[in-house]
Amino acid sequence: LLLSSYEDRLAPGCPQVQLGFRYEARDRRFTVYVMQLSNCSALCLPTDQKMYVRVAVLPCVEATRCLFRTRSSPPRDAVEFNEVFGMQISHSALRQKTLRVDVCDTGKSGHEECLAGAQISLADVSCSEEKCTKWYNLLSRVYLPETHVS
Amino acid sequence: LLLSSYEDRLAPGCPQVQLGFRYEARDRRFTVYVMQLSNCSALCLPTDQKMYVRVAVLPCVEATRCLFRTRSSPPRDAVEFNEVFGMQISHSALRQKTLRVDVCDTGKSGHEECLAGAQISLADVSCSEEKCTKWYNLLSRVYLPETHVS
């Protein structure tokens, strides 16, 4: 079992992602740790599709790599990824960014489909060398404001 | 001036919203304070449209009110709202929710258009009676994963 606390068992319905962050001022390096997913059954992933996590540091500047994807996994209720992504960025620039973390699959059409995600403002990301780890609720894309308006 | 710190002047480009939260365990009451917006020029709001802030506690249960809107304001770089929205909810249910906060206008078509937003996982919302206040970066909707896939 990845989760075992009393409250987690009481509230099994909410898909979550566990992330870690670290900003190293000396190397101007921002690191994102995609640790694990839980309660993915609630996402109703297609059983014939593999799932993965997409991480984007936004808005993206052209010269920098800001989009990362984990390996794919068969759809399961809980998945450990333990993957690490890093980018070089100044602390003041980072504090203007927002991190989008989405659970995606490659649909039948071959296009990337994002089913649910978390969005984390980096306005108060700290400069401590310690890794800060947290669970974030994943919100289904059906609740996002429509991206293409009429 | 709503913002005056050195770093804010260094980084004028990022639109932000200042929010406050409080959960009162005794009354099972969750309160959201929509305090102010800054750097809205970066959102390129249509000058002939009024703007407002939409707050949604998601996923939404039918019986509960979970969608709130501030009053409208002419588009300006910084706007103080200082509006308060509350809902009754248990702490364990609240911890499964995500807050979407979007800056919207009513477009020429009369439909609500959301230009940018913040998304805040409430997985670790605390039970303290104190109001917790923070600035969040607003991410333009153009960076959201498409809600309608082909």
Side-chain angles (χ1 to χ4, degrees):
Chain A
L1 266 177
L2 294 172
L3 293 174
S4 58
S5 83
Y6 181 66
E7 198 143 23
D8 287 325
R9 273 179 288 137
L10 271 183
C14 181
Q16 290 191 316
V17 61
Q18 191 186 29
L19 301 173
F21 304 112
R22 182 161 58 181
Y23 185 74
E24 289 159 291
R26 197 186 46 193
D27 308 320
R28 296 159 53 104
R29 189 158 187 82
F30 180 57
T31 308
V32 180
Y33 301 79
V34 179
M35 301 170 76
Q36 50 184 329
L37 295 172
S38 68
N39 300 319
C40 293
S41 309
L43 297 177
C44 301
L45 282 153
T47 51
D48 57 343
Q49 293 292 328
K50 291 193 169 187
M51 62 195 266
Y52 56 91
V53 177
R54 190 181 76 168
V55 174
V57 181
L58 300 168
C60 189
V61 180
E62 266 180 52
T64 320
R65 189 177 171 204
C66 59
L67 186 64
F68 307 94
R69 291 178 179 87
T70 65
R71 69 181 188 280
S72 291
S73 158
R76 284 201 302 268
D77 190 50
V79 184
E80 280 195 67
F81 286 102
N82 293 321
E83 292 193 40
V84 182
F85 305 104
M87 63 187 292
Q88 287 225 302
I89 186 168
S90 74
H91 191 240
S92 60
L94 184 63
R95 288 186 57 190
Q96 297 200 56
K97 303 289 186 185
T98 294
L99 194 78
R100 266 301 306 181
V101 177
D102 287 281
V103 178
C104 307
D105 67 45
T106 307
K108 280 171 191 164
S109 61
H111 290 295
E112 183 169 67
E113 286 184 334
C114 293
L115 301 167
Q119 184 174 313
I120 299 137
S121 164
L122 299 175
D124 55 356
V125 71
S126 83
C127 253
S128 86
E129 305 283 300
E130 271 175 73
K131 184 170 80 171
C132 157
T133 304
K134 241 171 80 170
W135 284 96
Y136 294 87
N137 295 340
L138 294 166
L139 183 66
S140 166
R141 64 156 188 218
V142 303
Y143 293 108
L144 292 184
E146 294 198 20
T147 49
H148 299 292
V149 292
S150 53
Chain B
L1 269 176
L2 293 173
L3 292 175
S4 58
S5 83
Y6 180 66
E7 197 143 25
D8 288 324
R9 273 180 287 137
L10 272 183
C14 181
Q16 291 191 314
V17 61
Q18 189 184 31
L19 301 173
F21 304 111
R22 182 160 58 180
Y23 185 74
E24 289 158 292
R26 198 186 44 194
D27 308 321
R28 296 158 54 103
R29 190 158 186 82
F30 179 57
T31 308
V32 180
Y33 301 79
V34 179
M35 301 171 76
Q36 50 183 332
L37 295 172
S38 68
N39 300 318
C40 293
S41 309
L43 297 176
C44 301
L45 282 153
T47 50
D48 57 343
Q49 292 293 328
K50 290 196 169 186
M51 62 195 267
Y52 56 91
V53 177
R54 189 181 77 168
V55 173
V57 181
L58 301 168
C60 190
V61 180
E62 266 180 52
T64 320
R65 188 176 172 203
C66 59
L67 186 64
F68 308 93
R69 292 177 179 87
T70 65
R71 70 182 186 280
S72 291
S73 159
R76 284 199 303 267
D77 190 50
V79 184
E80 280 194 67
F81 285 103
N82 292 321
E83 292 192 39
V84 182
F85 305 104
M87 64 188 291
Q88 287 224 301
I89 186 168
S90 75
H91 191 239
S92 60
L94 185 63
R95 287 187 57 191
Q96 297 199 56
K97 303 289 185 185
T98 294
L99 194 79
R100 266 301 305 182
V101 177
D102 287 279
V103 178
C104 307
D105 67 46
T106 308
K108 280 171 191 165
S109 62
H111 290 295
E112 183 169 68
E113 287 184 333
C114 293
L115 301 167
Q119 184 175 313
I120 298 136
S121 163
L122 299 175
D124 55 355
V125 71
S126 82
C127 254
S128 86
E129 304 284 300
E130 270 176 75
K131 184 170 79 171
C132 156
T133 303
K134 241 172 81 169
W135 283 96
Y136 295 87
N137 294 341
L138 293 167
L139 183 66
S140 167
R141 64 157 188 216
V142 302
Y143 293 107
L144 291 184
E146 293 197 21
T147 49
H148 297 293
V149 293
S150 53

